[in-house]
């Protein structure tokens, strides 16, 4: 799992450390929207840019399995319309105007945090109450992009 915050980037790279490169790479996006650029098998191939929002899934398989890819931008807002306008208008991806995250926090964050077990939370950090930990999580999640990558890294016989 990768965590990104506004301002974070991930340079162009390929994922080629797995034993069996014929198996797909599955990427699940959660949290803040971000831009994923996917090119070809060489860095000179022109990439395409994709706006990824909460719940989007990308599968790299076949020829795209070894494609160079990067995350040049994580947005500060959940307002996808703002993000799409910025991408379509061709403005510089590194110069997004600052947005207030507080008023546009998706309902899934509150539902997730409210569903956390107080007993388990208190075992994570005994110096804080479960409610204090929930409050920290409520502040962290709206300002974070999560990427879960699923791939075969172990050799199976």
């Amino acid at each position: 799992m990768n965590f990104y915050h506004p301002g974070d980037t991930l340079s162009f790279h390929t994922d080629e450390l797995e034993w069996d490169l014929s198996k797909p790479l599955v990427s699940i996006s959660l949290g803040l929207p971000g831009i994923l650029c996917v090119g070809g098998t060489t860095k000179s191939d022109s990439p395409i840019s994709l706006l990824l929002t909460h719940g989007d899934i990308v599968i790299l398989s076949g020829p795209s399995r070894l494609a160079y890819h990067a995350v040049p931008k994580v947005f500060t807002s959940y307002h996808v319309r703002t993000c799409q306008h910025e991408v379509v208008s061709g403005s510089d991806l590194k110069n997004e105007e600052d947005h207030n995250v507080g008023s546009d926090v998706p309902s899934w964050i509150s539902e997730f945090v409210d569903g956390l077990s107080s007993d388990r939370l208190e075992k994570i950090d005994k110096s804080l109450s479960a409610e204090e930990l929930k409050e920290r999580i409520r502040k962290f999640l709206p300002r974070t992009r999560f990427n879960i990558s699923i791939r075969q890294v172990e050799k199976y016989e």
Side-chain angles (χ1 to χ4, degrees), residues 30-104:
L30 303 171
L32 287 173
I35 299 294
L36 172 70
C37 293
V38 180
T41 55
T42 68
K43 285 187 176 181
S44 63
D45 294 330
S46 295
I48 61 167
S49 296
L50 304 168
L51 173 64
L52 298 180
T53 61
H54 179 73
D56 285 344
I57 297 173
V58 173
I59 300 173
L60 298 177
S61 65
S64 70
R65 175 60 181 80
L66 292 175
Y68 278 88
H69 54 283
V71 178
K73 177 72 177 172
V74 175
F75 292 94
T76 60
S77 172
Y78 282 93
H79 290 299
V80 176
R81 184 176 305 160
T82 301
C83 300
Q84 287 174 332
H85 171 73
E86 188 170 335
V87 172
V88 171
S89 70
S91 62
D92 183 357
L93 293 177
K94 297 192 184 279
N95 291 325
E96 176 196 11
E97 66 180 79
D98 199 16
H99 295 286
N100 181 0
V101 178
S103 63
D104 63 347

Side-chain angles (χ1 to χ4, degrees), residues 5-148:
H5 295 95
D8 290 348
T9 62
L10 181 64
S11 299
F12 272 97
H13 67 282
T14 60
D15 293 303
E16 54 187 25
L17 296 176
E18 295 79 17
W19 286 94
D20 186 351
L21 297 176
S22 70
K23 304 291 185 203
L25 185 141
V26 178
S27 175
I28 303 168
S29 295
L30 303 171
L32 287 173
I35 299 294
L36 172 70
C37 293
V38 180
T41 55
T42 68
K43 285 187 176 181
S44 63
D45 294 330
S46 295
I48 61 167
S49 296
L50 304 168
L51 173 64
L52 298 180
T53 61
H54 179 73
D56 285 344
I57 297 173
V58 173
I59 300 173
L60 298 177
S61 65
S64 70
R65 175 60 181 80
L66 292 175
Y68 278 88
H69 54 283
V71 178
K73 177 72 177 172
V74 175
F75 292 94
T76 60
S77 172
Y78 282 93
H79 290 299
V80 176
R81 184 176 305 160
T82 301
C83 300
Q84 287 174 332
H85 171 73
E86 188 170 335
V87 172
V88 171
S89 70
S91 62
D92 183 357
L93 293 177
K94 297 192 184 279
N95 291 325
E96 176 196 11
E97 66 180 79
D98 199 16
H99 295 286
N100 181 0
V101 178
S103 63
D104 63 347
V105 175
S107 61
W108 70 265
I109 290 177
S110 294
E111 293 166 7
F112 172 77
V113 174
D114 291 343
L116 293 173
S117 164
S118 293
D119 292 340
R120 288 189 177 184
L121 285 173
E122 288 171 351
K123 291 177 183 176
I124 292 172
D125 186 342
K126 296 185 189 285
S127 69
L128 298 171
S129 71
E131 285 309 310
E132 289 172 315
L133 280 171
K134 284 184 179 185
E135 187 57 31
R136 287 186 179 196
I137 294 169
R138 278 189 190 94
K139 289 179 180 176
F140 176 76
L141 288 179
R143 292 166 173 78
T144 308
R145 174 172 170 25
F146 306 89
N147 174 255
I148 301 170

